Amino acid sequence: RDLSQDRKSEAANDKADSLEKRGVPLEVTAYKKALESYKAAIYVLSEAEASASVDDFDDDQVVGRNGDKRMNKHENDSERQKKTREQAKTSDELHQMREAKITVELHLADTLTCLGYCHDAKLDEYEKALMAYRESLSLYIRHVGRFHRMVSNALHNMGAIHVELQQWKEAATCYRQCLAIVKRKEEQERSEWAHTGRNAEEIVEGDQLSKSFTSSMNEDIAATLQCLGNSLAELGEYDASIACFQEVVDRLDSPVAIDEKVPLPPNAHVGEVLSQMASAHFKEASKLSQSLNWQCHMLIFSGTETKKSDDPH
């Protein structure tokens, strides 16, 4: 065995770890600077939009007054056309500013997500990560709607943070909201595919794309159900937890294949989920056992006291 090679490998690993430790704070600082720049851009665009809106309102007032004047003094058509063009230009500028502001705010949301990931996965600063994820979530909901994939991703990230903080109720809430979004998306895609009018067994390009997407959603749903099941087990909601795990098994045990003629290998993930389901069953059984033992103890104790009271000696 080449010990010198082992030492070189260990030295390389130590160097890589050292570089990563020094690099993460620099990465966080870069993201924070990006946030400051995006927020500054949003402020400038907001001020410009407000100023343009005031100018547009003033032009409307002028047009109204000039309308009365035109009725009395017959203002020439060229002047009216000039003002109409100016109003149209102002309206276009306002639209462009609003579009630019939305784009910048979405970049801001993406940067907050990256910053949250740094605080979460690399620094274990969960409270800071949660703040970043919450801010990005509000921006995504505002601009892409609450049923968008980015919203479900943000909710899943927040759920993972609550798990790290052992805030099981909050984690379950996030996972439930995430699950509702991804299941809704799956149903929409399945409905669109069903209305194509093709036979489900036909393998054509359109069906391949649709089935591939459904399979992807299936994995996302299974992952979220597994996380929700673990959170519910920690809350003592064993029936709901076991139901989540069972749905995961059903989904992973019979995945949607693009080509049904090609057999799929067994999914090793199913074993992990079954183990977690067994753990939930065990915890439920232990809880029931403790409750039953307590009731038996109370009955025995009560019976002993009754015998003592009946015995005159």
Side-chain angles (χ1 to χ4, degrees), residues 27-310:
E27 185 179 359
V28 170
T29 300
Y31 283 133
K32 287 182 177 179
K33 288 181 178 178
L35 290 178
E36 291 173 1
S37 298
Y38 283 134
K39 288 180 178 179
I42 291 169
Y43 173 78
V44 171
L45 288 168
S46 297
E47 289 296 307
E49 180 185 349
S51 177
S53 298
V54 171
D55 292 341
D56 191 34
F57 176 76
D58 290 341
D59 288 342
D60 289 340
Q61 295 294 97
V62 170
V63 169
R65 290 194 296 272
N66 286 341
D68 296 337
K69 183 179 178 182
R70 182 180 64 250
M71 291 177 65
N72 297 322
K73 298 184 179 180
H74 307 289
E75 184 179 7
N76 59 63
D77 291 340
S78 61
E79 187 66 23
R80 291 198 304 272
Q81 291 173 358
K82 180 181 177 182
K83 287 175 181 176
T84 301
R85 286 195 298 271
E86 289 176 352
Q87 282 185 309
K89 182 180 178 182
T90 302
S91 179
D92 288 341
E93 289 175 350
L94 269 172
H95 178 73
Q96 291 173 7
M97 279 186 252
R98 287 165 183 161
E99 289 294 317
K101 185 179 175 183
I102 290 171
T103 301
V104 173
E105 288 191 342
L106 286 173
H107 284 312
L108 175 62
D110 293 340
T111 306
L112 283 163
T113 299
C114 294
L115 180 61
Y117 177 77
C118 284
H119 285 304
D120 171 14
K122 299 182 179 181
L123 297 173
D124 295 337
E125 297 174 348
Y126 301 121
E127 293 290 351
K128 291 181 179 179
L130 198 56
M131 289 175 61
Y133 286 145
R134 279 175 179 158
E135 193 173 347
S136 69
L137 176 64
S138 66
L139 289 169
Y140 285 134
I141 290 175
R142 184 188 309 168
H143 294 304
V144 299
R146 61 179 59 253
F147 296 109
H148 195 273
R149 186 70 172 268
M150 297 304 297
V151 174
S152 64
N153 289 344
L155 286 166
H156 200 285
N157 290 338
M158 290 172 60
I161 296 295
H162 286 302
V163 168
E164 293 291 346
L165 296 173
Q166 297 187 351
Q167 297 170 344
W168 306 112
K169 186 176 181 180
E170 292 82 356
T173 298
C174 288
Y175 288 133
R176 280 193 173 108
Q177 292 175 355
C178 176
L179 187 63
I181 294 170
V182 290
K183 280 193 171 184
R184 184 177 186 269
K185 187 67 175 176
E186 182 188 52
E187 286 303 314
Q188 287 177 343
E189 293 298 321
R190 183 178 289 122
S191 177
E192 290 173 7
W193 178 69
H195 283 83
T196 57
R198 302 192 192 99
N199 190 306
E201 295 179 356
E202 292 179 359
I203 306 299
V204 295
E205 184 179 359
D207 287 331
Q208 286 181 335
L209 292 173
S210 179
K211 287 186 178 181
S212 177
F213 183 83
T214 302
S215 178
S216 175
M217 293 306 298
N218 191 57
E219 292 173 4
D220 289 345
I221 293 171
T224 306
L225 279 166
Q226 185 179 5
C227 293
L228 176 59
N230 285 322
S231 298
L232 292 173
E234 292 293 341
L235 289 170
E237 299 180 26
Y238 300 116
D239 289 343
S241 171
I242 292 165
C244 288
F245 291 136
Q246 185 59 58
E247 186 175 348
V248 175
V249 172
D250 292 341
R251 284 178 173 273
L252 297 181
D253 235 5
S254 55
V256 179
I258 293 177
D259 188 347
E260 295 176 0
K261 297 178 182 178
V262 180
L264 291 171
N267 194 328
H269 191 189
V270 174
E272 178 187 347
V273 177
L274 287 171
S275 176
Q276 292 170 342
M277 186 193 296
S279 176
H281 278 298
F282 180 80
K283 289 178 180 178
E284 183 180 28
S286 297
K287 184 178 179 180
L288 291 171
S289 177
Q290 289 176 3
S291 176
L292 183 60
N293 289 339
W294 175 251
Q295 291 180 31
C296 290
H297 174 76
M298 291 299 294
L299 286 172
I300 293 171
F301 181 76
S302 176
T304 303
E305 288 298 317
T306 302
K307 287 182 181 179
K308 285 183 179 180
S309 62
D310 291 341

